[in-house]
Amino acid sequence: MLSINSSFYPVLALFVFSLTACFAPQKVIKMESAESQTIKWNYGREVVLIKKGDLEARIFFDEYTKKDLIFDVEVVNLGETEVLLQPENIFFLSDSGEKGWAYDPEQEIFGEQMAASRRDAGAKNAAVLVGVAAVATIVAVAATSDDDDDNDLDLGGDTFVYVNTTVPPVPLEYRPPNINFWKDYALRKTTLEKGYKVGGKVVFPRADMVRSFTIVVPVGGVELKASFHQRLFQP
């Protein structure tokens, strides 16, 4: 019969406790729009409406991950002159004056393409090594067969992503850093002609220590701003 030393049980209990401690609930983020702003509700989300000159924007908090904050940003050009919207110029300004820059979708796509190319090359190299090992094994077996049977072995042979704030936002099938997220959901560099609008996801690194901040969208020499209060809850 298997005998277990009594000293084993405290060790086991400590191990089980350490496992349960590894799975503490993640903090839940609640984002609320700051006061004195024009607010439109869209399926439970507070959408901040900004109008400045010939430009109009709608900004709302959409989702968060372990590393990122995801906002929806829509910009409409009502003027006669075209303007260039560049997501990499969007930033948030915290209540303490700190800046956090949005990710550049074009750089993220390029980086993921480079990584995918390296992975593909690595997989092909691994396949070649496996093939070489297999051929070496066959040759070794053939050599043995030649010694035994004197037989010969023949090794020859033959762009826009629109956001309509009167309907529910499209559920995210992908999330950053997935390349399909950056291609299909992210707000990307766009020239807005008269009457054009463009919208998509803008992603920032999480900033759990920040309680209040303002999203700043520079476009056409104008800064479109929306302020939010961030609250974190530990379940």
Side-chain angles (χ1 to χ4, degrees):
M1 180 179 292
L2 180 63
S3 175
I4 299 178
N5 192 298
S6 60
S7 63
F8 172 76
Y9 291 105
V11 175
L12 177 61
L14 180 62
F15 174 71
V16 172
F17 176 77
S18 66
L19 284 180
T20 58
C22 291
F23 298 99
Q26 295 293 321
K27 292 181 179 179
V28 175
I29 293 178
K30 184 175 177 60
M31 201 74 67
E32 300 170 338
S33 63
E35 304 78 11
S36 303
Q37 298 182 110
T38 301
I39 305 299
K40 303 291 184 181
W41 285 90
N42 177 33
Y43 282 81
R45 291 174 167 88
E46 289 183 300
V47 181
V48 181
L49 175 62
I50 311 107
K51 294 182 179 181
K52 197 168 183 180
D54 294 326
L55 296 172
E56 181 178 300
R58 288 175 171 83
I59 301 174
F60 67 86
F61 176 68
D62 186 36
E63 187 59 275
Y64 65 91
T65 69
K66 290 182 179 181
K67 296 182 178 181
D68 304 311
L69 296 173
I70 305 173
F71 285 81
D72 253 73
V73 175
E74 178 191 272
V75 177
V76 184
N77 180 19
L78 303 174
E80 299 292 335
T81 305
E82 67 180 29
V83 294
L84 179 62
L85 177 61
Q86 298 175 270
E88 67 271 19
N89 292 337
I90 299 175
F91 62 93
F92 73 72
L93 188 64
S94 74
D95 47 359
S96 60
E98 298 171 307
K99 273 188 178 181
W101 294 94
Y103 292 106
D104 181 353
E106 309 313 317
Q107 287 294 326
E108 296 298 322
I109 291 171
F110 178 72
E112 288 298 315
Q113 288 172 334
M114 292 288 286
S117 180
R118 288 192 294 268
R119 289 193 297 268
D120 183 59
K124 289 179 179 178
N125 289 333
V128 169
L129 290 176
V130 171
V132 169
V135 170
T137 301
I138 292 173
V139 171
V141 171
T144 303
S145 178
D146 282 343
D147 291 340
D148 295 340
D149 304 323
D150 198 26
N151 293 327
D152 293 330
L153 179 64
D154 182 10
L155 294 180
D158 308 8
T159 267
F160 292 159
V161 180
Y162 292 106
V163 177
N164 187 335
T165 55
T166 62
V167 297
V170 178
L172 289 181
E173 183 178 356
Y174 306 104
R175 294 188 178 190
N178 187 290
I179 190 172
N180 292 313
F181 171 88
W182 298 111
K183 286 184 174 182
D184 299 337
Y185 293 99
L187 180 67
R188 299 180 66 180
K189 189 174 182 178
T190 303
T191 298
L192 290 174
E193 299 178 15
K194 178 184 178 180
Y196 274 58
K197 71 175 178 180
V198 65
K201 311 295 181 184
V202 175
V203 186
F204 300 93
R206 274 182 64 155
D208 289 2
M209 301 304 294
V210 175
R211 291 295 169 262
S212 297
F213 57 84
T214 299
I215 304 295
V216 183
V217 182
V219 55
V222 173
E223 289 187 342
L224 304 168
K225 301 179 180 180
S227 298
F228 297 89
H229 297 306
Q230 177 176 241
R231 300 170 64 192
L232 276 77
F233 298 86
Q234 182 66 63

